[in-house]
Amino acid sequence: MKAMVLHAPAGLDRLVLEDRPDPEDPGAGEIRVRLHGTSLNFHDLGVVTGRMPTADGRVPMADGAGIVEAVGDGVREFAAGDAVVSCFFPDWQAGTATIGDFSRTPGDGMDGFAQDVVVRPATAFTRAPKGYDAVEAATITTAGLTAWRALVVDGKLKAGDTVLLLGTGGVSIWALQLAKLMGARVAITSSSDEKLERARAMGAEYSVNYRAREDWGHAVRDWTNGRGVDHVVEVGGPGTLAQSIEAVRVGGHISLIGVLTGMGGEVPTALLMARQARLQGLIVGSRAEQQDMVRALEAGGVRPVVDRRYPLEQLADAFRHQQTGDHYGKVGVEW
């Protein structure tokens, strides 16, 4: 079988498509999955560029979707021919978070899904949303479930709430779609007027170019007539957090899910206290939460936004496109 392998020292030019032996038949509790798609995340980029060190010879990519080829003894949830999608934390089945590292995350602490076939525990997958192709399904593993947990699980989003989204990457566009599905009103930021226009076409009620308006937190607060938004999906980190706190209402909720502007920095603690807001860090979600999301997507008829698709042998080019920041939504790879 074919597998994309990352060799040390890590870098995009160190991704090599290699032949590897096919995995053995699934054992008890396992399934064999023929993979057909993955999608790119900031986490994956960190692994393949060496910013997040991994083992030499690692198969990257946390997201994977495909078709079940065989099931082992005791597997009742899946059968051959089922469309499935992977879980970011294969050992976190349900309940509150108990995992704070990536030692068991595919594509980081263990081999990921940039390969033809895998044999894994059945509990490391959920069924894919009906009608989704492999790339579309793969977008829910990391980005989709992060947005779902931020808004629905932790944020307790309800109809009529206001939501602020930063940028137009995979998590933010998924969050836009989920917020609209739930009947919320959305404000969104970007440095691109063209992307903001696309977001408005998808239902965003308010948009602001953060390069044209550096105090975009104030702008969003003005949009809410001074009240502030109920939820912020904060993907930037230290470079944007102060404006997010400015934008949130008293008693609101900020989901800290990204560090695009850095790994550490100052927090305006006095303003955060004054807002009495809940600032919650999170990393993706559990298998049970992914199952809930799949049901919601099917009920609402929501399909992900895939900016561009690449073949597996062009995985490095897909990451280069991601690095430009020109994409809107998700970047996919299919084979």
Side-chain angles (χ1 to χ4, degrees):
M1 69 170 189
K2 297 293 185 181
M4 187 63 75
V5 178
L6 178 66
H7 291 287
L12 294 182
D13 59 347
R14 303 291 289 168
L15 286 167
V16 180
L17 191 63
E18 297 180 354
D19 287 314
R20 284 195 168 187
D22 285 348
E24 297 180 357
D25 292 337
E30 295 181 329
I31 59 175
R32 176 187 171 104
V33 179
R34 175 73 57 174
L35 296 160
H36 295 290
T38 185
S39 73
L40 279 61
N41 301 287
F42 187 68
H43 181 95
D44 300 307
L45 180 63
V47 171
V48 298
T49 57
R51 190 174 62 252
M52 303 179 70
T54 190
D56 184 24
R58 174 71 70 227
V59 176
M61 309 309 291
D63 303 348
I67 304 297
V68 176
E69 289 190 328
V71 302
D73 290 342
V75 175
R76 299 290 181 265
E77 186 175 357
F78 302 117
D82 287 348
V84 295
V85 59
S86 64
C87 297
F88 188 88
F89 289 121
D91 304 318
W92 181 13
Q93 295 295 294
T96 58
T98 58
I99 301 171
D101 60 40
F102 306 113
S103 60
R104 291 278 297 160
T105 296
D108 189 337
M110 59 189 292
D111 279 347
F113 297 107
Q115 55 183 316
D116 285 337
V117 184
V118 295
V119 172
R120 302 283 166 87
T123 53
F125 290 85
T126 70
R127 65 181 182 87
K130 293 178 181 177
Y132 276 32
D133 65 31
V135 168
E136 290 174 322
T139 68
I140 75 172
T141 292
T142 304
L145 186 55
T146 297
W148 175 265
R149 182 181 166 198
L151 292 177
V152 178
V153 180
D154 294 343
K156 311 299 183 188
L157 183 73
K158 62 184 183 299
D161 281 357
T162 50
V163 177
L164 170 60
L165 308 175
L166 308 189
T168 55
V171 174
S172 295
I173 296 304
W174 257 123
L176 170 58
Q177 294 178 281
L178 294 172
K180 300 310 298 179
L181 176 65
M182 302 291 287
R185 300 174 65 229
V186 175
I188 193 166
T189 73
S190 175
S191 62
S192 165
D193 289 336
E194 179 183 355
K195 290 181 178 180
L196 291 175
E197 184 177 352
R198 290 186 65 181
R200 290 193 297 271
M202 292 180 63
E205 283 82 2
Y206 180 74
S207 61
V208 55
N209 188 314
Y210 61 79
R211 287 185 177 163
R213 182 77 187 267
E214 292 185 359
D215 63 338
W216 47 268
H218 289 273
V220 172
R221 176 167 289 277
D222 290 342
W223 171 65
T224 64
N225 296 317
R227 178 178 182 269
V229 295
D230 298 295
H231 309 272
V232 182
V233 180
E234 169 56 74
V235 302
T240 54
L241 184 56
Q243 289 298 314
S244 291
I245 295 172
E246 176 62 39
V248 77
R249 70 167 171 85
V250 173
H253 175 234
I254 301 174
S255 295
L256 182 60
I257 64 98
V259 289
L260 295 177
T261 64
M263 301 297 288
E266 294 185 2
V267 176
T269 51
L271 181 58
L272 182 61
M273 289 171 61
R275 290 285 186 265
Q276 302 178 65
R278 178 161 55 102
L279 175 61
Q280 180 171 355
L282 66 95
I283 305 174
V284 198
S286 70
R287 182 175 188 256
E289 290 163 358
Q290 183 164 305
Q291 291 171 317
D292 289 342
M293 181 185 179
V294 169
R295 286 190 288 269
L297 295 177
E298 292 177 342
V302 178
R303 301 290 286 266
V305 176
V306 179
D307 177 87
R308 192 176 298 181
R309 296 169 184 244
Y310 292 81
L312 182 59
E313 60 267 23
Q314 294 179 17
L315 179 60
D317 290 333
F319 278 116
R320 292 185 181 101
H321 177 56
Q322 181 190 29
Q323 285 179 313
T324 67
D326 292 338
H327 60 287
Y328 182 92
K330 296 292 291 177
V331 179
V333 174
E334 59 187 352
W335 61 96

